[in-house]
Amino acid sequence: MISYLTERVFTIDIGPNLIMGLDEGDSTIIFDTGIDESVARKIDKAIGKPTSTIINSHSHADHIGGNHYFQKKYNTKVYAPSGEISFISNPELEPSLLNGGFWDYAAKDK
């Protein structure tokens, strides 16, 4: 599941997404975290060491869904483009935009 491209750069194939990472020795930096906690657990297991930093490319659910798992387990720092921060901090905003402002039914699932 984890493949090293160089001594420090790796990928993790989790199905529809390919997670990129950087091995920092005692910890890792990863780019995006998959759609939910179950995917985050698979990523964490494949890495086998703490993740100190997450860099989110953008705020879609399949890129940020595992953030909370890493933050809760490792106190991981999360970085993202400034325009995406509101959506990452408040994930209910994305479905509200996608569904014409009516978010209630959409926010109840992934």
Side-chain angles (χ1 to χ4, degrees):
M1 188 152 149
I2 189 167
S3 300
Y4 275 82
L5 304 176
T6 70
E7 191 173 307
R8 295 180 55 208
V9 177
F10 61 85
T11 63
I12 302 171
D13 186 352
I14 56 164
N17 294 67
L18 187 68
I19 303 298
M20 299 287 297
L22 182 64
D23 190 329
E24 294 281 86
D26 293 336
S27 66
T28 61
I29 297 170
I30 59 173
F31 299 85
D32 297 332
T33 58
I35 195 161
D36 60 18
E37 185 171 322
S38 68
V39 172
R41 287 181 186 280
K42 290 177 187 176
I43 295 167
D44 191 26
K45 183 177 180 182
I47 293 170
K49 59 176 79 175
T51 295
S52 62
T53 305
I54 295 166
I55 300 173
N56 287 132
S57 58
H58 61 286
S59 63
H60 290 167
D62 63 327
H63 294 263
I64 68 163
N67 286 9
H68 184 255
Y69 168 83
F70 288 101
Q71 289 175 298
K72 184 173 58 177
K73 185 170 182 181
Y74 300 117
N75 197 30
T76 303
K77 295 177 184 168
V78 178
Y79 296 92
S82 60
E84 303 289 326
I85 298 296
S86 293
F87 295 101
I88 292 170
S89 299
N90 305 283
E92 68 277 5
L93 292 176
E94 182 182 19
S96 73
L97 292 175
L98 296 174
N99 296 295
F102 181 66
W103 65 270
D104 185 47
Y105 76 92
K108 293 179 181 175
D109 198 358
K110 298 175 193 166

